[in-house]
Amino acid sequence: KIEKRMSLDLHYYKTPSSSESKVLVRLESEILAERQAIRESLINNSNFQLISEVYECIRSIRDPERPYTLEQLDVFSMKDIVIEEKFGKKSLTVYWKPPPPICAYTVHIGLAMRVKLLREIKDIKKMKVTILVREGNPKQKKALDKQLNDKERIASAMENVEVMDFLESLIS
């Protein structure tokens, strides 16, 4: 059974397990309000369309251990997407926070973000794409950032049929 409590605008789900962990799940009304506020603040940004496309692409990726999306788990939001242009070339940085409390599939979630971006965003291959952990243990953050942005590791993972099948289950 799952114990459900309401606290402010958030739901906490206490799942029975050996660790008795709590999972924070955002309400749809909160997500919609935040999305609208961020869109209004970015409307004059020249990269607004691309930011919106990236957000729509990533927000629906599912957590492998819970029946929620990355957006519902507050893993990332529209404000975590940064687009910069230097010397006529765009770079895209997506900041995210691994799902709480401890997720065994953190690297897979990051890879799912990258794979979905490569598949769905037009001209993404012309940009430098960086996926960075927003917060967390400095050692883990550094290791995750390195893994998720190393071209050889990414290519190797994308060639692995079992890994790609797992990623498909998160992004489809």
Side-chain angles (χ1 to χ4, degrees), residues 50 53-54 57 116-124:
L50 181 57
E53 287 177 37
V54 169
C57 175
K116 196 161 184 196
L117 286 170
L118 286 169
R119 286 183 184 172
E120 295 184 13
I121 303 297
K122 182 182 177 196
D123 297 328
I124 195 83

Side-chain angles (χ1 to χ4, degrees), residues 26 34 54-60 70-81 94-97 113 134:
R26 299 171 65 203
E34 178 188 82
V54 169
Y55 176 74
E56 290 300 322
C57 175
I58 296 176
R59 74 183 189 91
S60 62
L70 299 185
E71 181 182 49
Q72 290 172 314
L73 292 171
D74 199 25
V75 168
F76 109 110
S77 76
M78 192 179 277
K79 67 181 180 277
D80 297 322
I81 302 165
V94 176
Y95 294 92
W96 68 296
K97 173 177 75 174
M113 285 191 250
R134 181 174 1 127

Side-chain angles (χ1 to χ4, degrees), residues 144-156:
L144 278 171
D145 290 347
K146 184 176 179 178
Q147 265 189 303
L148 295 174
N149 295 293
D150 182 301
K151 289 180 183 180
E152 289 180 15
R153 291 181 189 193
I154 294 165
S156 176

Side-chain angles (χ1 to χ4, degrees), residues 84-98:
E84 298 176 319
E85 195 162 339
K86 293 180 185 173
F87 309 111
K89 182 166 173 132
K90 286 186 178 182
S91 67
L92 165 67
T93 305
V94 176
Y95 294 92
W96 68 296
K97 173 177 75 174

Side-chain angles (χ1 to χ4, degrees), residues 31-46:
I31 292 169
L32 292 173
E34 178 188 82
R35 207 182 300 161
Q36 184 61 32
I38 292 170
R39 281 192 172 121
E40 288 172 9
S41 72
L42 293 173
I43 198 73
N44 294 322
N45 185 319
S46 61

